[in-house]
Amino acid sequence: MIRLVLLSGWAIDARIWSPLASHWGTSVTVEAIDWPGMGGRPALADADASDADASDANTGLFQQQAHPSSGIQTLAKAMGPSLSSRDGEPVIWVGWSLGALQAAALTRHLPAPDGLVLLGMGPTFCHPNGVTTSALADFRAAFRRNPTRAREHFLRWQLSGEPSPRDALRRLRTLLTPDIGADHATLEQGLATLAGADIGDLLGGVPGHVSGQAPDNATPVPITSLCGATDPLLAPAVRAAMDERIEGAGHCPMLSQPARLAEAIQRHALRMLDGGKAPTSRRGAHYGDREDDDADREATDADREVQGFDEVTP
């Protein structure tokens, strides 16, 4: 049996994975895990975060070199028991969006999983042809002024790439009822991580993109990447570099294509365990290129009534 650990993204708890429940095969066991501060789970203790200085507000959980006792290592301590292998069974981590960035970072601080699936995330969140650094900065400012309004905007906007955004929003609201909410400090830290995290070193380097260096003692982890074919949060070049694009889906294929997504995750998990799947790192997205298919980021469905981060105003 293969153990799949599913990790959700910003402002959405583990219930987002519920639509996949009836589509898993008999070769896997599946557990959706909430991050601290999400889904009613207590946030990381303030005492643990007090070791970090003011610069942490700009870089989220990725302070392991400057602050070895804070940030990502505190998260690793909290998540370790849930992410570890049990009774020697192979374990694959499946991280979606922000969850992909955090899962990738945790491979540096926890026993490495047998494979890592990155869903809806490239080497960095911000991209000059996708969600720009300035757009995310504007969104963070809007979140500080009105967290509830900004979170609602984000939940709607990330669904703009689905075949029917309104239907997807209704499904999402049903899944998240009752609305447990999330710790505001956790959400702010998550936005900081989206702004500052770079996992390009784990992906083997990206042409035209400067990445950090992986630790010398890092254990190589097989990595594969998936995304919705019309994910509005990803630049066209990043989508093109994914190992697989799921047709008929945007950033939330759990809502629009749960059967296809479950099948793809299981298939790639088996290939990584069999050594038959080259990691995503061998492909790489050309960050400096502007693709002809930029237009596919535009909303073409009449239901797409929300805009991107740059439309958020204080």
Side-chain angles (χ1 to χ4, degrees), residues 6-14 16-17 33-35 38 94-102 119 121 154-155 158 182 186-187 190 194 251 254:
L6 311 180
L7 300 160
S8 59
W10 190 80
I12 295 182
D13 61 52
I16 187 67
W17 300 101
I33 304 297
D34 273 317
W35 297 102
M38 299 295 299
V94 183
W96 170 57
S97 198
L98 172 62
L101 286 177
Q102 295 186 164
L119 175 61
M121 182 56 65
F154 178 82
L155 294 181
Q158 69 173 344
T186 297
L187 293 180
L194 288 175
H251 193 64
M254 310 84 148

Side-chain angles (χ1 to χ4, degrees), residues 62 64 72 95-108 116-126 193-206 209-215 221 223-225 238 242 280-281 284 287:
F62 289 72
Q64 64 271 20
I72 192 65
W96 170 57
S97 198
L98 172 62
L101 286 177
Q102 295 186 164
L106 288 176
T107 64
R108 301 180 175 106
L116 176 63
V117 177
L118 305 178
L119 175 61
M121 182 56 65
T124 62
F125 178 69
C126 292
T193 297
L194 288 175
D198 184 340
I199 59 172
D201 58 305
L202 294 174
L203 303 181
V206 179
H209 177 69
V210 178
S211 300
Q213 296 296 316
V221 178
I223 299 174
T224 194
S225 61
V238 176
M242 294 286 172
T280 300
S281 58
Y287 269 32

Side-chain angles (χ1 to χ4, degrees), residues 72-94:
I72 192 65
Q73 290 206 3
T74 301
L75 183 65
K77 181 179 179 181
M79 295 294 289
S82 299
L83 295 176
S84 61
S85 175
R86 297 173 182 172
D87 299 323
E89 66 180 348
V91 59
I92 304 289
W93 299 351
V94 183

Side-chain angles (χ1 to χ4, degrees), residues 6-241:
L6 311 180
L7 300 160
S8 59
W10 190 80
I12 295 182
D13 61 52
R15 290 175 290 178
I16 187 67
W17 300 101
S18 300
L20 279 65
S22 62
H23 302 293
W24 298 116
T26 58
S27 62
V28 299
T29 61
V30 181
E31 189 173 2
I33 304 297
D34 273 317
W35 297 102
M38 299 295 299
R41 182 173 179 175
L44 294 177
D46 292 339
D48 292 334
S50 64
D51 295 329
D53 63 23
S55 66
D56 292 355
N58 297 321
T59 52
L61 293 171
F62 289 72
Q63 292 76 244
Q64 64 271 20
Q65 293 180 351
H67 304 286
S69 62
S70 66
I72 192 65
Q73 290 206 3
T74 301
L75 183 65
K77 181 179 179 181
M79 295 294 289
S82 299
L83 295 176
S84 61
S85 175
R86 297 173 182 172
D87 299 323
E89 66 180 348
V91 59
I92 304 289
W93 299 351
V94 183
W96 170 57
S97 198
L98 172 62
L101 286 177
Q102 295 186 164
L106 288 176
T107 64
R108 301 180 175 106
H109 300 275
L110 291 172
D114 295 278
L116 176 63
V117 177
L118 305 178
L119 175 61
M121 182 56 65
T124 62
F125 178 69
C126 292
H127 189 289
N129 296 330
V131 178
T132 64
T133 300
S134 61
L136 180 56
D138 289 344
F139 182 81
R140 292 180 69 186
F143 179 82
R144 294 187 189 103
R145 290 180 174 88
N146 191 328
T148 300
R149 179 184 175 191
R151 176 176 177 263
E152 175 67 16
H153 173 90
F154 178 82
L155 294 181
R156 294 165 65 86
W157 177 62
Q158 69 173 344
L159 299 174
S160 64
E162 308 306 329
S164 177
R166 287 183 180 175
D167 288 343
L169 182 60
R170 282 192 289 268
R171 289 194 292 272
L172 181 61
R173 292 197 190 285
T174 298
L175 289 177
L176 299 184
T177 300
D179 187 358
I180 300 172
D183 174 69
H184 283 175
T186 297
L187 293 180
E188 172 57 31
Q189 189 175 56
L191 291 176
T193 297
L194 288 175
D198 184 340
I199 59 172
D201 58 305
L202 294 174
L203 303 181
V206 179
H209 177 69
V210 178
S211 300
Q213 296 296 316
D216 293 337
N217 62 348
T219 301
V221 178
I223 299 174
T224 194
S225 61
L226 311 173
C227 73
T230 54
D231 189 329
L233 272 66
L234 299 180
V238 176
R239 291 198 302 267

Side-chain angles (χ1 to χ4, degrees), residues 222-312:
I223 299 174
T224 194
S225 61
L226 311 173
C227 73
T230 54
D231 189 329
L233 272 66
L234 299 180
V238 176
R239 291 198 302 267
M242 294 286 172
D243 288 306
E244 183 170 345
R245 290 163 293 283
I246 299 171
E247 296 298 328
H251 193 64
C252 298
M254 310 84 148
L255 300 176
S256 53
Q257 297 293 341
R260 290 184 183 180
L261 177 60
E263 186 278 329
I265 291 173
Q266 292 171 100
R267 173 163 38 85
H268 284 279
L270 288 170
R271 288 181 180 178
M272 284 189 288
L273 290 175
D274 291 341
K277 181 62 178 177
T280 300
S281 58
R282 302 302 183 258
R283 303 185 61 180
H286 293 267
Y287 269 32
D289 297 340
R290 182 177 295 275
E291 301 288 330
D292 292 337
D293 63 345
D294 273 354
D296 69 9
R297 294 169 51 233
E298 300 295 329
T300 57
D301 191 299
D303 289 340
R304 295 177 188 176
E305 56 193 30
V306 292
Q307 302 299 317
F309 280 164
D310 54 346
E311 294 296 320
V312 178

